[in-house]
């Protein structure tokens, strides 16, 4: 059964680690709320890491339009 790792994926390093640990996919959640363009930036520069600090302040926004509470977007 294919496995998806969800949680803590903030850059290429953590994606590669997930693949080495036999996950077939790595899913991004909170990091994309802060930076929706993150996958494209990682594709251009493998050293790119999300600014997401995993504070969970985005969680209450699921009722009013999910967004990063710390982002200036």
């Amino acid at each position: 059964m294919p496995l998806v790792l969800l949680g803590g994926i903030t850059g290429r390093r953590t994606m590669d680690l997930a693949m080495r640990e036999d996950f077939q996919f790595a899913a991004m959640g909170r990091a994309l709320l802060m930076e929706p363009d993150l996958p494209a930036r990682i594709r251009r520069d493998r050293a790119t890491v999300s600014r997401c600090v995993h504070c969970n302040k985005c969680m209450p926004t699921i009722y009013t339009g999910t967004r990063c509470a710390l982002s200036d977007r």
Side-chain angles (χ1 to χ4, degrees):
M1 172 185 302
L3 295 175
V4 179
L5 176 62
L6 175 61
I9 304 297
T10 57
R12 185 60 190 242
R13 186 182 64 77
T14 51
M15 287 179 204
D16 290 342
L17 177 60
M19 299 302 117
R20 283 194 305 272
E21 295 292 326
D22 291 328
F23 286 92
Q24 285 73 38
F25 302 96
M28 297 179 122
R30 290 175 289 188
L32 293 180
L33 292 177
M34 162 113 8
E35 302 170 276
D37 64 336
L38 184 60
R41 291 182 25 243
I42 290 171
R43 194 175 307 119
R44 287 192 304 270
D45 178 4
R46 294 173 65 96
T48 300
V49 178
S50 175
R51 296 179 305 147
C52 178
V53 295
H54 302 285
C55 65
N56 281 328
K57 291 182 180 179
C58 56
M59 295 314 290
T61 71
I62 64 173
Y63 303 107
T64 59
T66 308
R67 65 195 175 284
C68 175
L70 303 179
S71 176
D72 55 353
R73 294 179 189 200

